[in-house]
Amino acid sequence: AWPLTLAFCLFVANLAIALFADRGSTKSPASPSETRQHEHLAYQDMSANFARLAWVANLGGAFSMSMMIHLFPKLAVELGVPSEQHGIMIAMSRIVTIATYVAMHHLKFWHHRFSTALLTQAFAVAGLLTIANATAVLGLCLGLGALSLMMGYNYFAGIYYTTTGSADERKGAANGIHEATIAMGFGCGSLIGGLIGQQFGVRTPYLLGAGVIVI
């Protein structure tokens, strides 16, 4: 019961923070110079291109991550992983994702860099293949860690590019598209992955997820 109680308390804290978050300065920003405005538009255009890339990546990433959330427990049970270790592994994967958020918030080397996006997808493919072939807890942990790194990158990068790549009046709609691509990926991954796993074996969905990310 304690984890549920803690989650409830954190929810109340989140609500309180949200209610007071907009009580900041109302000072109007200074008008940018013509040069700064041109640089801003160029940056916005580049971010818009990367936002479309992020939306595509969201589909494959969420497709695979949904199988980890909904189907991984069955694989863990078949491999004889105790429920306590299973819980720790899932917690570890979330810690990797949150650490990725924090790192991306403080670092800027990944901005508008296709190679970084490509590398994180490659990590996820390697992680899924590791999970599909794992016979021990270590292999499962490594696979989950690589997959969580990709999901953290995809989500944070998607939010960043969607926000910086949209005009003020379009930010809400663009972020709606960002979230919709994740929802589509989660829905398709859990449904299709579940059907594939039931038909061809508990490890098959992870091979499917790796293929989807590659595509």
Side-chain angles (χ1 to χ4, degrees):
W2 282 106
L4 297 177
T5 303
L6 175 61
F8 175 78
C9 293
L10 291 174
F11 170 77
V12 173
N14 285 343
L15 180 61
I17 291 171
L19 291 174
F20 291 97
D22 62 345
R23 297 190 177 186
S25 173
T26 57
K27 183 180 178 181
S28 300
S31 299
S33 65
E34 186 174 340
T35 302
R36 292 270 317 266
Q37 183 70 8
H38 179 75
E39 291 175 351
H40 171 73
L41 291 175
Y43 196 91
Q44 186 179 86
D45 186 54
M46 181 69 78
S47 288
N49 290 329
F50 273 83
R52 288 188 283 272
L53 174 68
W55 295 343
V56 174
N58 280 342
L59 292 170
F63 184 97
S64 301
M65 192 55 110
S66 70
M67 293 190 293
M68 188 275 284
I69 293 172
H70 298 291
L71 305 180
F72 181 75
K74 184 172 177 61
L75 175 61
V77 168
E78 288 206 2
L79 291 176
V81 178
S83 59
E84 292 84 359
Q85 290 186 23
H86 176 203
I88 292 172
M89 290 161 62
I90 297 298
M92 179 211 70
S93 73
R94 302 313 300 161
I95 290 172
V96 170
T97 298
I98 294 170
T100 303
Y101 294 159
V102 174
M104 292 178 69
H105 174 70
H106 290 287
L107 303 174
K108 302 185 185 301
F109 73 90
W110 56 272
H111 289 184
H112 301 147
R113 184 167 292 180
F114 180 71
S115 58
T116 308
L118 199 62
L119 184 61
T120 56
Q121 310 312 306
F123 266 109
V125 170
L128 287 163
L129 294 177
T130 301
I131 293 173
N133 293 282
T135 57
V137 171
L138 178 60
L140 295 176
C141 287
L142 292 174
L144 285 174
L147 186 61
S148 299
L149 172 66
M150 178 272 298
M151 198 60 197
Y153 175 86
N154 280 3
Y155 191 79
F156 195 96
I159 288 288
Y160 178 82
Y161 291 135
T162 298
T163 303
T164 60
S166 306
D168 289 345
E169 65 274 10
R170 285 280 303 162
K171 290 187 191 299
N175 276 284
I177 294 173
H178 167 76
E179 296 295 335
T181 56
I182 293 175
M184 289 172 61
F186 268 101
C188 292
S190 55
L191 175 61
I192 298 174
L195 293 173
I196 292 293
Q198 190 174 32
Q199 192 73 26
F200 299 104
V202 72
R203 296 177 182 270
T204 313
Y206 305 98
L207 299 176
L208 172 65
V212 170
I213 292 178
V214 169
I215 292 171

